[in-house]
Amino acid sequence: MNSALSPYFPEKRLFIQSGSSTRYLRLTPLSQFMSGAASLALVGWLAIATASVAIDFVGGSGTAPTVVLQEAYEARLEELAAERDQRASEARSAQTRFQTAMEQIGRQQTALLQSAERGRELTTALDLMRQRLHEAVGQRDAATVANDRLVAQMNEVSDRLSHESGADLAETLKTVTGALAEAVAVRDTARAERETLTQQVADLELRMKVNSERQDEMVDQLEQAVALSFGPLEKLISTANLDVDSLIETVRSGYSGQGGPVGDAVVSTRSFDDPALNSRFDKLMLDLDRMNLMRIAVEKIPYTMPLRSSYRFTSPFGRRWGRMHAGVDLAAPVGTPIFATADGLVVAAGRESGYGNVVRIRHEFGFETVYAHQSKIRVKVGQEVSRGVQIGDMGSTGRSTGSHLHYEVRVNGQPVNPMTYLEAAKDVF
């Protein structure tokens, strides 16, 4: 074997010198081969053992954090579901309060209009009473003139007493006495009517004052109700990065129809106006009109949840697995009703690649909503739908891992985060 190994492992000698003596150690080819094999075996065993320990360490330390992260993620999803249920309850309560406020505003507006009508009637009656009082004063003045004329006649009679006979004097006295009694009666009647009319005018003025105070109070209540309703609506639209004035003008242009027969012009019989109250009332009418236009605009923007039953939020808007997830995923059992989130027109209702059974609804102001993976579609293309109308049932069609709704909101064709609109409306609807 030494001869066979000598070409590869030539014999070596190691000289060891100590002091004055020198020795050497002979390394044969076989001993060199055996030492190298032993060294190689030792190195291989150390490498395998080290790799095994490292693999065990990495595998054991990586599993625990994954489990912890998964448990934390599931716990966070449960918290989000509980928070969503609470927000949904608060939204229903806020919607009830909003409807109650709108009903109260309607009743107060009707009462205010009725009060204004009663004020006009009282003003007309006051004008008539003033006219009658003016006539009574005229009658009183006429009676005073007649009385003065009779006094002059009596003075004239006194001057003629010494020249006329007894019979003529008696006749003259009788005539004068009758005329004087008639004048006194007319004067007393005019005075009584004047006092009565004066009292009636005072009563009417008091009633008008009370009515004016009631009008001020009702206007105050209406202004407060409008402020309470107008503020959240304006904040709702502003939170979604929408221009309030632009939306209102767009809605006004679509709701500006007028018509009907035109009657004769009516001239008001009011003798005076309250400029301050009229100014407040005009401003209130403008605010009510603005609030109504904002309410119409909000109906056309997807501010409500597409689901009314319990669900689980399973995936947010944004990048997922290296790709853009253009909506949010809401999981619930198969057949869960899906509702339109705003008024609009169905532009697609059928099967699409990846989306499965999908419904697309076009809304005002450049909005579009997408409802994907449905098990059943309940609308058709070209159909106009209102907010809250059922458009389909939840399913797992298309590229899906389970029953859920993929919900998108697009503005001018670009996907935006639906939670921006759903979160903005939680305090109003």
Side-chain angles (χ1 to χ4, degrees), residues 170-207:
E171 184 64 26
T172 301
L173 287 174
K174 182 179 179 181
T175 301
V176 171
T177 302
L180 183 60
E182 183 179 352
V184 171
V186 171
R187 182 199 64 188
D188 294 339
T189 301
R191 180 180 297 172
E193 290 182 354
R194 184 186 64 181
E195 293 176 354
T196 301
L197 290 174
T198 301
Q199 184 61 39
Q200 291 179 351
V201 168
D203 293 340
L204 284 174
E205 289 178 345
L206 178 61
R207 290 175 60 187

Side-chain angles (χ1 to χ4, degrees), residues 230-373:
F230 180 78
L233 284 177
E234 188 171 21
K235 180 181 178 182
L236 172 66
I237 296 177
S238 300
T239 303
N241 296 323
L242 298 174
D243 184 67
V244 177
D245 295 331
S246 177
L247 290 182
I248 290 177
E249 290 303 321
T250 303
V251 174
R252 180 179 284 113
S253 64
Y255 290 80
S256 58
Q258 296 181 353
V262 180
D264 296 335
V266 178
V267 179
S268 174
T269 58
R270 298 181 62 174
S271 59
F272 66 92
D273 275 332
D274 186 349
L277 182 60
N278 287 342
S279 177
R280 291 179 62 193
F281 190 78
D282 292 340
K283 183 178 182 302
L284 179 62
M285 292 297 101
L286 293 176
D287 289 342
L288 285 173
D289 179 64
R290 182 179 175 88
M291 185 180 66
N292 187 51
L293 292 174
M294 290 179 63
R295 179 186 58 80
I296 295 174
V298 168
E299 290 291 333
K300 301 178 181 299
I301 300 176
Y303 275 127
T304 55
M305 288 295 298
L307 302 178
R308 295 180 181 174
S309 56
S310 298
Y311 63 89
R312 181 184 178 193
F313 182 81
T314 57
S315 185
F317 174 87
R319 301 199 67 81
R320 183 182 67 177
W321 304 327
R323 300 176 61 184
M324 181 63 185
H325 186 235
V328 294
D329 291 341
L330 309 172
V334 174
T336 300
I338 301 173
F339 303 93
T341 55
D343 301 346
L345 177 69
V346 178
V347 295
R351 196 168 186 87
E352 295 183 13
S353 176
Y355 284 95
N357 294 330
V358 63
V359 172
R360 296 177 181 269
I361 301 178
R362 182 185 301 151
H363 310 282
E364 297 280 349
F365 317 121
F367 283 91
E368 181 182 271
T369 52
V370 182
Y371 314 78
H373 308 306

Side-chain angles (χ1 to χ4, degrees), residues 31-42:
S31 61
Q32 293 181 44
F33 175 77
M34 295 299 292
S35 298
S39 299
L40 184 61
L42 179 62

Side-chain angles (χ1 to χ4, degrees), residues 150 153-154 157-158 160-161 164-183:
L150 289 174
Q153 291 177 358
M154 289 182 66
V157 169
S158 298
R160 294 171 53 188
L161 284 178
E164 296 182 356
S165 62
D168 293 335
L169 180 60
E171 184 64 26
T172 301
L173 287 174
K174 182 179 179 181
T175 301
V176 171
T177 302
L180 183 60
E182 183 179 352

